[in-house]
Amino acid sequence: MFEWHGWATIVASPGTEDDESAEARQRAAEDEVTRLATTDVPNETVDVRWANGSLHLWLAGSHNHRDDGVIKLFSEVARIAPGSYGVLYALEHGVDDSWERWVMRRGTVRREADTSLSPHRGSVEDG
């Protein structure tokens, strides 16, 4: 089973611009991420919600086999709104005992070593 859980805060730019042009870019990025996140795939949760004036994305799901579509979606959000930041965790049960941690920041998504949940057996489940 391939399992994942993640979140991102949607921000159009890593800069501190605060003018009408910056606000327009923010709204455009929010609209595009919202359109991108309106998928209906079995065994997946893709949720976009507003909290205190900021747009947030939540991802969770599990498939019987690995599907990197969620990592591609996370990367596309970073491309659309390069000021966004967040974390996506993924685990391929039975293949690897280490969680993958994908970190979004400054328009990129990079895989980093996880030591919080890995190794899964021993850290999360009994060995």
Side-chain angles (χ1 to χ4, degrees):
M1 181 176 68
F2 182 61
E3 170 184 3
W4 65 91
H5 308 273
W7 62 269
T9 299
I10 309 306
V11 182
S13 168
T16 57
E17 304 91 358
D18 190 20
D19 57 18
E20 286 183 31
S21 176
E23 288 180 22
R25 285 192 306 276
Q26 179 66 27
R27 299 297 162 249
E30 291 165 349
D31 290 346
E32 195 168 345
V33 168
T34 299
R35 277 192 301 277
L36 182 66
T38 55
T39 60
D40 187 22
V41 179
N43 302 315
E44 292 185 12
T45 299
V46 179
D47 192 18
V48 179
R49 292 188 188 225
W50 289 93
N52 200 26
S54 296
L55 188 66
H56 301 272
L57 172 70
W58 286 276
L59 306 163
S62 61
H63 287 177
N64 289 338
H65 304 285
R66 185 177 184 99
D67 179 353
D68 287 337
V70 68
I71 298 164
K72 291 175 184 170
L73 172 66
F74 205 61
S75 297
E76 184 65 7
V77 169
R79 185 194 66 75
I80 291 167
S84 299
Y85 54 92
V87 180
L88 174 68
Y89 281 88
L91 177 67
E92 194 169 5
H93 293 273
V95 174
D96 191 353
D97 200 38
S98 295
W99 282 87
E100 300 171 14
R101 180 175 62 214
W102 297 87
V103 179
M104 176 192 299
R105 61 171 138 349
R106 295 190 161 272
T108 65
V109 173
R110 291 201 171 96
R111 184 176 175 176
E112 297 184 353
D114 172 70
T115 58
S116 300
L117 297 171
S118 299
H120 187 77
R121 275 174 263 141
S123 295
V124 178
E125 294 179 345
D126 291 341

